[in-house]
Structure formats: structure tokens, C-alpha cells
Amino acid sequence: MKVLKVKLYQPFACYRKPNSFGVIESYLLPPPSTVKGWFHHVLGAKEEHPLFLSIHGSIGGITYELQRLIKFDRKRDDQPLLEGFGKSLLYSPTYVELLYDVRLTIYIGAEEELLRKFSENLLLKDFPSLGRREDLVLVEEEPEEVTLEPYAPSFLEFLGTKEWTYFSRETAKKLRISGTYHRLPVSYDPCLKEKLGWRFFKKRDFLLAPSGVLLKDSCENVFVDPKEERVLEMVEIKRFKDEKALCQEG
């Protein structure tokens, strides 16, 4: 399988967990929806394209920053009202969890022409962000096309994860590996966003495996980067089907 390998560096980053409000928490790795959106932004795409993704990374540590953010509050006469929700909006000091010294290795599978254009645009753009607008990302090495090898039984008990790595729940069970499960956003219906102004994400369960995990079985969609001896799963990130039909409903 031929894919594009991209190595990135971020001095600071916050990949916000959507249900964290008292303290804004961050995932340790960007979720698939964030990487997918970043790919399409760099590509300059006008429509959604299906992808295969594998996301890996490491961090130097975690710190906290105090920011003034807008939050929901109970209805107050002296605060702006969010119509339709019966809630007021107010500014509130909030701690934001920041990852620092972030290094990412991302494998992207897509049509050859899309990967070529993405690779060219990535080297031309001035510090595109990944995550929040302020989370600038630097390209550590020129994007490289690599050929992945299937993870064969001969590799068992010899190769493992090199960094924090996402595996789909189904693959993690087949490989009998443990870690922390997250229900991560993958993609959203652009038609609903156009109608309602909100992004409603389709989610999928992923296991965040730490570095050094040895795999005990082989599985489809699990490959090895022979240059780095890195084990990875190429997860298919599908686009919403029949978008035009959805847009025409109701």
C-alpha cells in the first residue's frame, strides 16, 4: 500500500475534547476529524474526499493556560441571550490544557493526484495550523511516499508501537492490545451544518495505544513502515454518502 508520510512539529497544541467545559481538556493526539479537516484545508478542496489515515505522536508534557472564553450560563437579564436555547453567554476565565513539544507522524492514503497536490501545498503554506487556529504546525521533513508492508505473522512479538497510536476498536480487539478508548469525531454532514449552523459529527471508537505495545496477532489493514519498523493501522475515513440527496430532504 502506497501512502504519504508526513512528520510535523507543534510547539503547543490543544485538541479539545468536546464535552470538557470546567477545564478545557485535550486529546493526546489529534482525532481523525481534525486531521481530515487539516488535509482538506491544505489541499484547498471544494468537496469531501475519502481517506485512509494513521495518526502517531509524542509530547514533551502538559501545561495549563488561563484564557477568557465564552461559556453558556443560566438565563440572566444583563447577559446576551442565545436564542432557541434559553441560555445566556458570558465571558469566564478558564484553564486550557496545552500539550507542548508535540511531534506527529501521519500516514495519509488517498488518490495519487490528491496526495501530490497536498504535498506541494503543504510546503508552500506559511505555518498552517492543526487543531486551533493558533496551533501552528511545522513540517519537520519533506513529505515522503512510502510503501507499507502487510503486518505478517513473521513480525509477531518483534515489532510494536513506537509512539502513541490510534487503532480502531475492532482492530484493537483482534490484536489483543490494551489502552484507553475514546469515541472520536470522524466526519460531519455538511448539509446539516448548512441548514442548522452546527456540525453534527459521526463518531467511532478508537483505542489510544502507548508506545512499546507488542502485537500478538496479525490483522487486515495493519501494516509496517519498513523504514522505521513502525506498526500502524490505515483506518478508512469515509465521506457522508449521497450528500446531494440529504441536502434535498425536507
Side-chain angles (χ1 to χ4, degrees):
M1 183 178 189
K2 289 186 177 181
V3 299
L4 188 70
K5 178 169 64 175
V6 185
K7 287 184 174 289
L8 307 170
Y9 174 76
Q10 292 183 279
F12 294 96
C14 178
Y15 315 120
R16 178 176 177 172
K17 295 181 180 180
N19 294 323
S20 60
F21 294 98
V23 175
I24 303 302
E25 298 177 321
S26 173
Y27 295 113
L28 290 179
L29 292 179
S33 60
T34 299
V35 176
K36 176 185 175 183
W38 171 72
F39 174 84
H40 283 75
H41 172 70
V42 173
L43 185 65
K46 301 300 182 182
E47 60 180 350
E48 187 181 0
H49 298 282
L51 300 172
F52 285 87
L53 292 177
S54 185
I55 304 168
H56 311 251
S58 64
I59 65 172
I62 298 175
T63 187
Y64 292 87
E65 180 180 67
L66 188 61
Q67 295 184 2
R68 187 167 176 254
L69 302 178
I70 298 177
K71 287 188 173 184
F72 291 120
D73 192 19
R74 65 182 183 275
K75 186 176 179 180
R76 297 173 184 266
D77 294 335
D78 59 340
Q79 297 289 349
L81 184 66
L82 185 63
E83 294 185 6
F85 290 86
K87 297 287 185 180
S88 294
L89 298 175
L90 78 161
Y91 285 100
S92 175
T94 305
Y95 281 103
V96 178
E97 190 174 68
L98 291 181
L99 314 177
Y100 64 84
D101 197 22
V102 180
R103 283 182 163 80
L104 299 172
T105 301
I106 300 175
Y107 295 81
I108 306 172
E111 294 180 8
E112 185 175 348
E113 180 60 24
L114 295 179
L115 294 180
R116 183 194 63 78
K117 186 177 180 181
F118 168 82
S119 182
E120 291 177 355
N121 290 355
L122 183 62
L123 297 175
L124 292 175
K125 282 187 175 291
D126 293 330
F127 310 123
S129 61
L130 177 61
R132 304 174 303 171
R133 287 176 180 250
E134 60 266 39
D135 295 333
L136 301 181
V137 61
L138 309 177
V139 182
E140 285 201 305
E141 299 178 9
E142 185 173 348
E144 176 186 5
E145 184 183 272
V146 297
T147 300
L148 304 177
E149 298 179 0
Y151 186 71
S154 58
F155 292 130
L156 298 180
E157 301 292 350
F158 293 98
L159 296 181
T161 55
K162 298 192 68 173
E163 297 174 301
W164 292 97
T165 305
Y166 282 135
F167 289 96
S168 65
R169 175 184 286 272
E170 299 79 11
T171 297
K173 287 185 175 180
K174 291 179 181 178
L175 296 176
R176 294 184 289 164
I177 56 178
S178 59
T180 303
Y181 279 101
H182 297 282
R183 183 156 292 174
L184 300 177
V186 176
S187 58
Y188 66 89
D189 185 346
C191 300
L192 284 178
K193 181 179 184 297
E194 183 178 345
K195 289 181 178 181
L196 304 178
W198 293 81
R199 293 185 296 177
F200 293 92
F201 281 91
K202 180 168 58 178
K203 297 183 179 181
R204 186 175 176 183
D205 291 345
F206 288 87
L207 177 135
L208 181 62
S211 61
V213 173
L214 294 177
L215 279 62
K216 304 181 185 302
D217 290 293
S218 60
C219 182
E220 61 180 355
N221 294 331
V222 177
F223 299 89
V224 173
D225 178 353
K227 184 176 179 180
E228 297 190 12
E229 295 187 342
R230 182 194 298 271
V231 177
L232 56 111
E233 178 191 9
M234 295 301 297
V235 179
E236 185 176 8
I237 309 297
K238 299 179 181 179
R239 71 178 183 89
F240 271 82
K241 297 180 179 179
D242 301 323
E243 290 179 3
K244 292 183 179 179
L246 286 173
C247 288
Q248 292 172 358
E249 290 181 0

